[in-house]
Amino acid sequence: MKNIAPAISPPSGIGENKPANQAVLDWVHEVELLTKPENVFWCDGSDREHEYLLQEAVRQNVLFKLNDQKVPRSYLHRSNPNDVARVEQFTFICTPSKEEAGPTNNWSEPAETYSKLHGLLKGAMRGRTLFVVPYIMGPPDSPLTKVGFEITDSIYVVLSMRIMTRMGAIAVKRLGRDPAAEWNRGVHSLLDVDPARRFICHFPQDNTIISVGSGYGGNVLLSKKCLALRIGSYLARKQGWMAEHMLILGVESPEGKKYYVAAAFPSACGKTNFAMLIPPKHFAGWKVTTVGDDIAWMQIRDGRLFAVNPENGYFGVVPGTNYKSNPNAMKSIAHDSLYTNVALTDDGDVWWEGKDGAPPKHAVDWRGNDWTPDSKEKAAHPNSRFTAPVRNNPVLDPDFEKGEGVPISAIIFGGRRSNTMPLVFQSFDWAHGVYLGATMASETTAAATGAVGQVRRDPMAMLPFCGYNIGDYFRHWLAIGKRLTNPPLIFNVNWFRKGEGGKFLWPGFGDNMRVLKWIIDRCEGSNGALKSPIGWLPGLHDLDLAELDLDHKSVDELLEIDHEDWKKELAEHKKFFDSLGGVVPDELMKQCEEVAARFAK
Ligand code: OXD
Ligand code: MN
């Protein structure tokens, strides 16, 4: 299967939908002069265009059509094996000064970077089609919604953007004719998919992104990590809102009372599973609905935080997804989906490690090689992905499209921690909650290149995604809190604590409803909590653990605060803050001392 494909020649009436905005026309013309494509394809997002592009992608061997009986209207793509995850080491924030990018970002000087990238892009689209993809992020009638245009020479990117965003005429219309209107410029070229020529560069002051040398979603669907988080977080601070790496879910009681919760977990730590959770039998009548599974844009209204999901699709990790772990995700990816780097069975179906049922006797693995259950290699890459429309989700929240967003009652931070962090606890107040987010850590996963399983600090799960100085980002969080008269309560969860023999103590998945229920109880003002040095913890009888096969010892271990472990943990917090070189606000430094003082009491 190929990544790079030669130019296509659409029939008349397809690919001709030029916008009227002169600023867009001038920019596309400039990129065209630089990259020298064979032709320019203006996307309108119509069904006719979609059918044509799918057919071309199959003809060019970029996509493989799966068995329509098994997975209707769905396709497989294999990426270059050197290009399977986000590349944080080649991701840059190009602000006028290094200080603006801050200690957690790679910085590179804007003029020099433009010049280097223009050098790489010179003639890069020769013999290829330059696609112009207009899109909006956010519901059509939301004040938070942003317009973006992505130029790309990858037909796979166009087809993925059609799922992940509201794409085409809707964006052209929203932008209108005003050449001074705000919109994001994104340029993507595969070049020759060489890791030595792979750069993901953001120019926040220019609302511009340039990504070259990769075809992996997180690097090239510029709407997602690049615009909605990196550029988004920069714009959010400037404009007084928040762009966060958070899922948004609704939880409704049998009596019909509804709460919305936003949760920040690092990449590949179960945000999609949590956002689509099915409560266990014991919680009959409770319903969980999904607003978003990865990104939340939040604004203040009437002293409360309201959130929208700017995306229109899910780009999730496939391995481990099955009818037990996430039935709603399985239904979401059962049709009209794109699969990347999973295995292909002999009957044209997809397969991955952890899928329900027995493994196939033979398949073609993600690299295109023969595979059998005896093979040493994995059939699907650990970061293989699905791209699926939100409309496929049977529990999509009815207010998904609501322009004002949904009111957030609780914010949850969480990471993958084998030890130290209890199952759940609640911060004492907003500033303490910001401290919990700022000191969050997680064991690394396959979503980014690099070693897997190492504990790294990942403030608010935004370490790879904050588009400006992390100290200012913490300040922005604190400042938002001061503007909220009815702030969400802030919690920390850890589904991944291990006991003796390295076994997970908590069953996770649907049973996370039990923790969610305690969080909702706290939002309702229940007293069911015990004060500890790190925050409010549920007492043994405050968590509803009925019909769960979990012994007392495991519950104790799940909720245990080990003083020795916490001594080390607090030293790590201090070390992390100090490593940021003096940018951390005093208010958070003080929080660190206060936790230590509470332990000393
Ligand atoms: C993602 C990520 O793909 O966080 O959502 O890497
Ligand atoms: Mn993510």
Side-chain angles (χ1 to χ4, degrees):
M1 233 170 269
K2 286 196 300 193
N3 303 287
I4 302 166
I8 55 170
S9 320
S12 142
I14 294 190
E16 293 171 357
N17 220 340
K18 265 193 193 186
N21 191 299
Q22 197 56 43
V24 175
L25 295 174
D26 290 347
W27 168 72
V28 173
H29 188 58
E30 234 175 75
V31 178
E32 191 187 348
L33 286 178
L34 177 68
T35 57
K36 305 259 184 316
E38 177 92 5
N39 52 9
V40 175
F41 186 110
W42 302 87
C43 299
D44 65 10
S46 64
D47 289 343
R48 186 167 169 235
E49 170 184 283
H50 188 220
E51 284 310 313
Y52 169 72
L53 291 177
L54 282 171
Q55 190 190 310
E56 279 302 303
V58 170
R59 195 177 65 78
Q60 299 205 343
N61 212 14
V62 173
L63 293 185
F64 176 87
K65 176 135 177 48
L66 296 165
N67 183 332
D68 244 339
Q69 254 76 58
K70 305 269 180 191
V71 240
R73 301 175 300 280
S74 298
Y75 297 81
L76 169 68
H77 174 73
R78 287 191 202 114
S79 76
N80 189 315
N82 76 28
D83 185 32
V84 293
R86 284 185 291 98
V87 282
E88 292 175 10
Q89 67 279 33
F90 304 124
T91 300
F92 292 88
I93 302 296
C94 310
T95 40
S97 72
K98 188 170 184 338
E99 200 198 334
E100 285 162 274
T104 54
N105 283 309
N106 299 314
W107 173 79
S108 126
E109 201 277 323
E112 268 171 34
T113 314
Y114 275 128
S115 156
K116 179 174 84 178
L117 293 168
H118 288 171
L120 291 169
L121 284 166
K122 210 167 179 177
M125 296 191 191
R126 255 196 198 102
R128 302 181 192 174
T129 294
L130 179 159
F131 297 94
V132 183
V133 184
Y135 64 93
I136 56 170
M137 294 303 280
D141 65 345
S142 176
L144 283 172
T145 292
K146 301 286 181 202
V147 176
F149 279 77
E150 175 165 354
I151 286 177
T152 177
D153 55 6
S154 158
I155 195 167
Y156 163 80
V157 167
V158 179
L159 290 163
S160 302
M161 287 292 283
R162 191 177 195 275
I163 297 177
M164 292 306 297
T165 71
R166 296 158 175 95
M167 185 263 244
I170 190 169
V172 171
K173 185 157 167 251
R174 185 170 175 116
L175 181 66
R177 288 173 172 268
D178 178 3
E182 180 195 276
W183 57 282
N184 180 268
R185 293 156 169 75
V187 179
H188 165 247
S189 173
L190 291 162
L191 303 184
D192 47 1
V193 198
D194 176 355
R197 288 150 43 90
R198 184 169 295 158
F199 301 103
I200 324 297
C201 300
H202 307 72
F203 302 85
Q205 277 79 1
D206 302 340
N207 205 348
T208 292
I209 305 155
I210 303 180
S211 166
V212 294
S214 172
Y216 172 72
N219 299 326
V220 301
L221 307 179
L222 301 184
S223 56
K224 192 174 178 66
K225 301 303 181 181
C226 301
L227 171 55
L229 289 179
R230 298 197 190 96
I231 299 279
S233 59
Y234 169 87
L235 292 174
R237 174 171 171 247
K238 218 167 87 174
Q239 299 169 354
W241 52 281
M242 302 174 93
E244 299 299 330
H245 191 200
M246 289 180 179
L247 67 91
I248 310 159
L249 62 79
V251 48
E252 193 178 326
S253 72
E255 297 76 41
K257 189 144 191 216
K258 190 150 187 186
Y259 287 90
Y260 287 96
V261 166
F265 307 157
S267 306
C269 284
K271 283 207 295 298
T272 307
N273 290 345
F274 194 44
M276 296 182 181
L277 176 157
I278 297 183
K281 272 202 196 76
H282 174 65
F283 286 82
W286 285 85
K287 266 198 293 209
V288 170
T289 48
T290 319
V291 179
D293 80 326
D294 195 40
I295 297 172
W297 282 359
M298 302 191 281
Q299 61 176 339
I300 302 174
R301 295 175 74 93
D302 309 323
R304 300 189 71 179
L305 266 187
F306 279 71
V308 298
N309 170 13
E311 301 193 279
N312 205 27
Y314 306 120
F315 178 66
V317 177
V318 182
T321 307
N322 55 51
Y323 276 98
K324 196 157 162 272
S325 64
N326 193 341
N328 289 321
M330 288 302 282
K331 288 178 190 154
S332 303
I333 63 179
H335 56 94
D336 299 282
S337 297
L338 291 182
Y339 287 88
T340 303
N341 292 340
V342 296
L344 176 66
T345 64
D346 294 346
D347 57 357
D349 198 355
V350 276
W351 191 80
W352 55 84
E353 277 75 15
K355 193 179 183 186
D356 306 88
K361 292 204 169 54
H362 174 266
V364 177
D365 73 11
W366 68 276
R367 293 171 197 262
N369 298 326
D370 283 320
W371 182 93
T372 69
D374 294 332
S375 299
K376 287 205 179 56
E377 308 279 341
K378 292 225 187 302
H381 187 275
N383 193 36
S384 51
R385 295 281 176 148
F386 56 74
T387 312
V390 294
R391 304 274 161 214
N392 283 5
N393 179 1
V395 296
L396 183 67
D397 192 87
D399 283 345
F400 165 71
E401 291 277 7
K402 203 169 179 178
E404 70 183 39
V406 295
I408 299 298
S409 297
I411 287 176
I412 306 176
F413 295 118
R416 190 182 280 271
R417 295 293 301 272
S418 309
N419 48 46
T420 315
M421 300 305 275
L423 179 63
V424 60
F425 62 100
Q426 182 194 341
S427 73
F428 292 121
D429 54 28
W430 181 269
H432 180 223
V434 175
Y435 170 74
L436 298 187
T439 54
M440 219 173 111
S442 193
E443 289 153 24
T444 49
T445 67
T449 54
V452 167
Q454 291 181 352
V455 174
R456 78 164 180 181
R457 296 288 141 192
D458 187 352
M460 284 80 172
M462 283 288 277
L463 183 73
F465 307 121
C466 180
Y468 61 99
N469 190 308
I470 198 83
D472 290 331
Y473 171 75
F474 294 154
R475 260 175 218 101
H476 182 52
W477 263 85
L478 293 167
I480 290 277
K482 296 195 172 82
R483 288 170 55 202
L484 293 168
T485 47
N486 192 357
L489 304 184
I490 300 183
F491 297 81
N492 198 96
V493 301
N494 177 23
W495 317 135
F496 301 94
R497 196 164 188 175
K498 289 179 178 168
E500 272 159 38
K503 272 183 62 179
F504 288 116
L505 288 163
W506 181 245
F509 303 109
D511 284 307
N512 292 339
M513 178 67 209
R514 299 170 190 276
V515 174
L516 194 51
K517 172 69 169 45
W518 181 70
I519 289 173
I520 299 304
D521 288 347
R522 294 295 289 164
C523 293
E524 293 234 298
S526 96
N527 292 325
L530 303 172
K531 201 166 185 178
S532 86
I534 65 167
W536 295 103
L537 262 95
L540 216 46
H541 302 289
D542 300 323
L543 281 175
D544 187 342
L545 301 177
E547 295 170 28
L548 185 64
D549 186 16
L550 198 67
D551 55 34
H552 262 283
K553 185 167 161 283
S554 299
V555 180
D556 281 345
E557 281 180 67
L558 275 163
L559 295 174
E560 187 191 3
I561 301 171
D562 182 290
H563 285 224
E564 280 311 305
D565 282 353
W566 270 92
K567 221 188 216 163
K568 285 186 223 143
E569 180 71 16
L570 288 177
E572 288 298 323
H573 293 183
K574 171 107 181 24
K575 202 165 119 197
F576 174 60
F577 279 176
D578 289 345
S579 78
L580 298 177
V583 303
V584 178
D586 290 345
E587 209 172 333
L588 292 189
M589 298 299 280
K590 221 173 72 207
Q591 287 287 339
C592 197
E593 286 158 27
E594 282 171 12
V595 189
R598 286 195 292 268
F599 269 108
K601 255 191 218 158

